[in-house]
Amino acid sequence: MHELSVCQALIAQVEELAQREKAQQVECVRVGIGPLSGVEPQLLQRAYPLAAAGTLAEGSVLDIEDRPVRVNCQMCGKNSDASANRLLCAHCGDWRTTLISGDELILVQVEFTREEDYV
Amino acid sequence: MCDTCGCNVTHGNQHLIAPGGKLQKTGQGNEAVSVLKNLLSENDHAAAHNREHFDRHGVLALNLMSSPGSGKTSLLEATIEALDGRYRVAVIEGDLETENDAERIRKCGVQAVQITTGTACHLDAHMLHTALHELNLDAIDILFIENVGNLVCPASFDLGQHRNVTLLSVPEGDDKPSKYPVMFRAADLVALTKVDLLPVLDDFDTERATGNVRALANAAPVLEMSAKQPGSLQAWLQWLDDEVEHHRAQCENGATLRPRIQPDGVHLHGLT
């Protein structure tokens, strides 16, 4: 249920960036989210229009890239896919792994139009 | 890497979109700026500020997280009693409503500040910062932050704490780490609480609980304890001693302590 506050933080960053770039309208916001970030993409998608209302991002598209859960094994050194609650090495089965993807909660890119585009 | 949107950025290829190559036109003629910034960077900024405060005043800050009713406040009461003044302790309590927990802690003779979050399901760094203004940090060695009882949201928000302690009480079942991986992966210490109930709740297997924590690639100590059995708190008190010592040593070297999983994330995903 914290997706709305995450969304508000996202919109604040997008607005700051849009103002800096003198954007007239934000068209698309891309974020990368992994299952281990603790944020549910569907809920974020639903909260987005509410948080965007009345900002430069109103009406923009939220594009969510799902990031895979991947681990690097500290024992055998290989990388493998894993699931959120079993971060084991798929090659040797050891639990001593380091997460290399899957906990992202990042703003990747913002697409916008500038005022001069309309001149 | 996708040539229109800059997606699939990894630590291996992020240099491709580093400053210089940042601005690009999309197929639709829109301008695009690649960012790669943590969505919660504003919270993280405030958290870093809190952590600096703690370090400057030599305060070890511990974030206690668990489901409601797992015994966070009871563990704190028992801990304060067992420490018997060895450290100067203060507690920040997070709940949706009531001062009940802060009042329980004050009865133990230590400072307690209650944060009532209203409807918010977690504490964030800003809320904590406001509460810190009510404490004299120079008079504190260990600050316990009792987060809102919730195994989901508190794990996503850095408060500026040095360590995360996640409680798992015996009545909850030994598979909670598998059900709530984000929370239990974040733990620097897992406290199995209410172990005095093990004889009656014999379907809870402490080895299985530990195995479920290890399956999250988490090497954190898993300690059994009961607030009703002061003798069971020894390993927990020893851990507190070690962390106080560790934090002091780090501060003397101009460094700090952070929860285990955060440095990985920051380093591996190239975030600042």
Side-chain angles (χ1 to χ4, degrees):
Chain A
M1 283 305 291
H2 59 296
E3 277 75 5
L4 185 59
S5 43
V6 170
C7 228
Q8 284 164 338
L10 166 65
I11 292 293
Q13 275 192 31
V14 168
E15 276 230 290
E16 192 187 320
L17 188 134
Q19 278 162 11
R20 196 180 71 212
E21 298 290 335
K22 299 188 171 45
Q24 189 187 46
Q25 171 68 43
V26 174
E27 304 289 345
C28 178
V29 172
R30 279 194 189 85
V31 296
I33 292 180
L36 285 165
S37 69
V39 168
E40 188 53 49
Q42 285 183 344
L43 294 179
L44 196 68
Q45 196 62 267
R46 220 173 295 165
Y48 186 77
L50 300 175
T55 73
L56 286 170
E58 183 165 341
S60 63
V61 173
L62 178 66
D63 184 5
I64 301 178
E65 299 168 7
D66 294 320
R67 300 295 175 99
V69 177
R70 303 261 306 156
V71 294
N72 171 259
C73 182
Q74 293 167 23
M75 296 299 118
C76 75
K78 291 181 182 156
N79 294 349
S80 53
D81 288 330
S83 64
N85 63 6
R86 278 181 73 79
L87 300 175
L88 309 181
C89 175
H91 303 283
C92 72
D94 206 279
W95 62 268
R96 282 160 288 188
T97 64
T98 306
L99 196 76
I100 53 173
S101 164
D103 65 345
E104 297 90 337
L105 182 60
I106 50 175
L107 174 57
V108 176
Q109 197 192 44
V110 179
E111 264 183 49
F112 54 86
T113 50
R114 279 189 219 264
E115 283 174 38
E116 57 256 40
D117 293 343
Y118 287 90
V119 173
Chain B
M1 183 169 152
C2 162
D3 60 6
T4 53
C5 73
C7 63
N8 301 329
V9 176
T10 66
H11 60 286
N13 64 15
Q14 65 185 357
H15 63 282
L16 297 172
I17 57 139
K22 269 175 90 177
L23 269 167
Q24 44 198 305
K25 287 271 184 184
T26 69
Q28 290 79 38
N30 296 332
E31 306 227 19
V33 178
S34 296
V35 188
L36 270 193
K37 199 171 169 192
N38 193 323
L39 284 196
L40 294 173
S41 62
E42 198 186 334
N43 180 75
D44 294 348
H45 182 75
H49 183 68
N50 290 344
R51 193 172 282 116
E52 280 170 25
H53 263 305
F54 295 138
D55 292 345
R56 199 173 318 131
H57 296 276
V59 176
L60 176 72
L62 304 174
N63 180 26
L64 268 63
M65 299 185 285
S66 76
S67 55
S70 65
K72 292 186 292 300
T73 313
S74 298
L75 176 63
L76 285 178
E77 288 170 323
T79 303
I80 292 164
E81 193 176 331
L83 284 172
D84 194 23
R86 195 188 325 172
Y87 300 111
R88 298 166 301 167
V89 170
V91 178
I92 290 178
E93 291 282 349
D95 280 299
L96 271 62
E97 294 291 350
T98 85
E99 284 260 330
N100 294 358
D101 284 357
E103 282 166 12
R104 281 173 62 183
I105 296 296
R106 285 180 199 125
K107 281 186 186 151
C108 304
V110 309
Q111 289 189 85
V113 178
Q114 180 79 47
I115 302 176
T116 48
T117 61
T119 56
C121 46
H122 59 272
L123 295 179
D124 68 24
H126 299 282
M127 290 183 214
L128 188 77
H129 185 84
T130 307
L132 289 182
H133 286 303
E134 296 184 38
L135 291 173
N136 175 11
L137 294 180
D138 282 328
I140 300 169
D141 298 312
I142 303 178
L143 175 66
F144 292 102
I145 304 157
E146 186 181 327
N147 217 310
V148 176
N150 175 351
L151 280 177
V152 185
C153 313
S156 297
F157 294 84
D158 185 10
L159 304 175
Q161 76 276 19
H162 298 107
R163 290 286 185 247
N164 287 323
V165 177
T166 304
L167 280 69
L168 168 56
S169 68
V170 165
E172 293 173 71
D174 53 30
D175 58 350
K176 279 288 181 293
S178 304
K179 291 176 172 171
Y180 299 90
V182 178
M183 172 62 69
F184 284 92
R185 199 175 83 86
D188 297 296
L189 178 132
V190 175
L192 296 183
T193 58
K194 306 189 187 183
V195 292
D196 52 310
L197 294 175
L198 280 173
V200 276
L201 298 171
D202 57 3
D203 51 347
F204 188 103
D205 182 335
T206 56
E207 298 221 341
R208 204 156 49 212
T210 305
N212 289 334
V213 173
R214 297 291 174 256
L216 304 175
N218 190 342
V222 179
L223 304 180
E224 298 177 27
M225 60 189 79
S226 164
K228 297 201 182 302
Q229 298 169 340
S232 70
L233 300 177
Q234 279 315 311
W236 159 242
L237 298 175
Q238 182 62 51
W239 183 84
L240 289 176
D241 283 340
D242 293 346
E243 292 302 327
V244 165
E245 189 61 35
H246 190 183
H247 180 240
R248 274 184 192 154
Q250 289 291 100
C251 286
E252 278 169 19
N253 291 326
T256 185
L257 280 186
R258 288 167 191 280
R260 179 191 76 90
I261 62 165
Q262 287 174 358
D264 274 4
V266 169
H267 172 70
L268 288 162
H269 306 308
L271 302 175
T272 50

